[in-house]
Amino acid sequence: MKKILGILLSAVLTFGLVACGNNNNTASSSAEEQDTNTTVVSESSETESEVETEEPVSETESTTSTLVVYFSMPETTEPDNMTVEEDNSVVVIDGEVLGNTQYVAYVIQENTGADIFRIEPETPYPTDHDTLVDLAAEEQDENARPAIAGQIENLDQYDTVFIGYPNWWGDMPMILYSFFDNYDFSGKTIIPFNTHGGSGFSNTIRTIAEMEPEATVNEDGFTVSRNNVQEAESDILNWLGELGFTE
């Protein structure tokens, strides 16, 4: 949890690609974890424009072969007077509100020197909690492929890609399916990480391997409960060390 402001500044000034995701210790349903509850997390387009305005990293700007990609939808950016659902979906550090998956992505990025890219929907998801929960279930039932705003323009330069997402209804959010449909990861190593409300990865690592059969998908991904994200930094660093990643 330390140096979160440094994480944010380095993400903005150095990498030009951003994302969002957070968490607090509560037991009710949250948008980041639809696996065990009828809940989902959301983030408004206003928040998107205020927090993240950078352009994708160009090949001439980047000097790393590692990329962190993540999708994260905190329900609020306000640290005070949160509802239970909002509290479940975010981490608050020194008054800064981060989404659960966003926080994990930032810790990985800071400690690997990777570039970072946030998956965002072309049509913003609704910010009302119940509406978003219903939409997430509807997308899953319809096997939808929500359009993604922005793209990775230089994927070929990356050998290793960390990919993070919340567990929604026991699966990846359907926008992750759009992401894997859009990019070819042949010859690359994919390292999954996720946040959840009790179901861990479910079968999502197997799903990624099926969608990207020519990639090497690391089965030892990092997964953390929304209740523990606030204290997860040391666990993330230990995991990165076991993988052989240090800045």
Side-chain angles (χ1 to χ4, degrees):
M1 308 305 170
K2 56 189 175 184
K3 300 181 290 188
I4 195 63
L5 296 179
I7 296 173
L8 291 171
L9 290 175
S10 64
V12 171
L13 297 177
T14 306
F15 300 102
L17 296 167
V18 241
C20 273
N22 314 201
N23 185 338
N24 276 350
N25 296 341
T26 58
S28 100
S29 60
S30 107
E32 289 257 337
E33 298 85 15
Q34 279 185 303
D35 50 330
T36 55
N37 301 294
T38 54
T39 359
V40 182
V41 248
S42 106
E43 181 170 346
S44 70
S45 56
E46 270 183 38
T47 299
E48 305 279 351
S49 61
E50 290 172 4
V51 176
E52 286 127 11
T53 58
E54 305 85 13
E55 295 299 320
V57 175
S58 72
E59 292 187 28
T60 57
E61 292 172 330
S62 180
T63 59
T64 179
S65 62
T66 304
L67 177 66
V68 177
V69 175
Y70 70 95
F71 171 73
S72 188
M73 298 297 294
E75 290 189 0
T76 183
T77 58
E78 296 298 327
D80 302 316
N81 301 316
M82 285 186 280
T83 65
V84 171
E85 290 84 1
E86 290 170 344
D87 188 56
N88 280 337
S89 71
V90 300
V91 171
V92 180
I93 306 294
D94 295 331
E96 296 287 339
V97 179
L98 300 175
N100 293 335
T101 311
Q102 176 189 21
Y103 174 74
V104 178
Y106 280 179
V107 173
I108 295 171
Q109 180 271 316
E110 183 186 42
N111 289 278
T112 61
D115 290 337
I116 193 163
F117 177 79
R118 178 184 184 180
I119 299 172
E120 301 181 68
E122 190 173 276
T123 300
Y125 285 118
T127 58
D128 176 73
H129 178 81
D130 291 336
T131 304
L132 183 56
V133 170
D134 292 342
L135 177 60
E138 180 181 330
E139 286 184 346
Q140 192 175 92
D141 289 343
E142 296 177 354
N143 197 27
R145 294 294 188 272
I148 296 173
Q151 61 182 357
I152 302 170
E153 297 179 352
N154 53 347
L155 183 62
D156 288 347
Q157 78 178 62
Y158 300 107
D159 299 322
T160 301
V161 184
F162 290 86
I163 299 180
Y165 48 90
N167 186 323
W168 281 5
W169 295 103
D171 201 350
M172 298 183 293
M174 297 311 296
I175 197 168
L176 266 293
Y177 285 82
S178 301
F179 177 77
F180 286 113
D181 283 348
N182 290 348
Y183 295 98
D184 180 6
F185 287 86
S186 297
K188 302 185 185 301
T189 297
I190 296 173
I191 305 177
F193 63 96
N194 91 335
T195 57
H196 64 89
S199 294
F201 278 113
S202 296
N203 292 318
T204 58
I205 294 181
R206 180 185 301 176
T207 298
I208 293 171
E210 291 172 351
M211 296 188 75
E212 300 293 340
E214 301 303 317
T216 299
V217 180
N218 192 311
E219 295 183 357
D220 296 321
F222 181 81
T223 184
V224 59
S225 167
R226 67 190 182 201
N227 296 330
N228 300 324
V229 174
Q230 188 97 15
E231 293 80 31
E233 182 179 26
S234 62
D235 292 335
I236 298 169
L237 297 182
N238 288 338
W239 171 66
L240 290 174
E242 290 170 1
L243 294 175
F245 283 91
T246 54
E247 173 137 36

